[in-house]
């Protein structure tokens, strides 16, 4: 277990029990973001860093009963909260590090990551691992229910030029990890980046 993992687990373990109560109105934003991913019935999708599983029901609805939904998180307390909320009925829950996913190459059609990018210890490597498990042409959604400026203000900070989620920083980071950014939205009530898994040339 690296120090990065310990910090992330401690942060979310302390907040797991009341996480949903702190953000009670985010459900529609999650559903809208999932709708924009363009999933089809029968698809296989991973919610990477699923937390309490707020995206899992809309992901299940998008892929239907024949599809596959996996919720992976590093923090047992967050997965336990997902179970208490009944969201394990929408997905298979997996205690796993998104840096080393127990999935075969190209197993998925898409990855959904809510609030994920700021918690990745090694973003370039970690995004490359997500690309590994997605088929060429598959999709990645990086989402947050509020935009960068609103989130920074919530924490008493200002956004800076080195913010990883800024488009000039995120676009080349994704490209280097095997993703082509298709769209970028950063508004007060939504942050959503959609990217496509590039076809690699051997």
């Amino acid at each position: 277990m690296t120090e990065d993992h310990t910090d992330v687990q401690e942060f979310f373990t302390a907040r797991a029990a009341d996480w949903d109560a702190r953000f009670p109105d985010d459900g529609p934003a999650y559903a809208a973001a999932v709708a924009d991913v363009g999933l089809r019935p029968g698809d296989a999708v991973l919610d990477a860093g699923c937390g309490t599983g707020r995206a899992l029901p809309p992901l299940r609805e998008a892929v239907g009963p024949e599809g596959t939904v996996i919720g992976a998180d590093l923090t047992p307390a967050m997965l336990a909260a997902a179970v208490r909320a009944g969201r394990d009925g929408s997905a298979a829950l997996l205690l796993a590090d998104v840096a080393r996913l127990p999935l075969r190459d190209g197993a998925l059609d898409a990855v959904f990551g809510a609030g994920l990018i700021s918690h990745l210890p090694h973003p370039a490597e970690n995004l490359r691992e997500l690309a590994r498990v997605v088929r060429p042409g598959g999709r990645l959604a990086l989402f947050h229910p509020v935009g960068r400026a609103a989130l920074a203000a919530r924490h008493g900070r200002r956004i800076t030029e080195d913010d990883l989620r800024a488009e000039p920083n995120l676009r080349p980071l994704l490209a280097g990890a095997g993703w082509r950014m298709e769209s970028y939205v950063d508004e007060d009530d939504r942050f959503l980046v959609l990217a496509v898994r590039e076809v690699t040339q051997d």
Side-chain angles (χ1 to χ4, degrees), residues 100-143:
R100 291 185 303 278
L101 290 164
L103 299 170
R104 62 177 173 78
D105 294 1
L108 303 172
D109 297 290
V111 171
F112 186 89
L116 177 69
I117 189 81
S118 58
H119 294 288
L120 295 177
H122 306 289
E125 296 174 24
N126 303 151
L127 289 168
R128 197 171 298 120
E129 171 67 356
L130 295 180
R132 180 188 68 79
V133 299
V134 173
R135 63 169 176 79
R139 297 172 71 77
L140 170 69
L142 298 174
F143 167 71

Side-chain angles (χ1 to χ4, degrees), residues 135-168:
R135 63 169 176 79
R139 297 172 71 77
L140 170 69
L142 298 174
F143 167 71
H144 200 283
V146 298
R148 293 189 305 130
L151 183 62
R154 179 187 291 175
H155 296 290
R157 297 193 302 261
R158 302 174 71 175
I159 52 177
T160 58
E161 289 185 1
D162 63 351
D163 184 347
L164 203 59
R165 294 164 300 166
E167 184 173 7

Side-chain angles (χ1 to χ4, degrees), residues 75-96:
T75 306
M78 293 298 262
L79 293 176
V83 172
R84 286 195 301 274
R87 295 174 183 140
D88 55 325
S90 297
L93 298 182
L94 190 63
L95 181 63

Side-chain angles (χ1 to χ4, degrees), residues 13-89:
T13 296
R15 293 162 174 80
D18 66 345
W19 187 263
D20 286 355
R22 293 172 62 199
F23 309 105
D25 302 321
D26 284 350
Y30 274 78
V34 168
D36 284 345
V37 179
L39 294 165
R40 297 167 298 184
D43 276 356
V45 59
L46 169 70
D47 184 355
C50 67
T52 62
R54 287 177 292 175
L56 299 178
L59 288 171
R60 169 56 64 192
E61 185 175 351
V63 303
E66 302 304 316
T68 299
V69 181
I70 302 168
D73 202 274
L74 188 65
T75 306
M78 293 298 262
L79 293 176
V83 172
R84 286 195 301 274
R87 295 174 183 140
D88 55 325

Side-chain angles (χ1 to χ4, degrees), residues 12 66 175 194:
F12 285 108
E66 302 304 316
L194 298 175

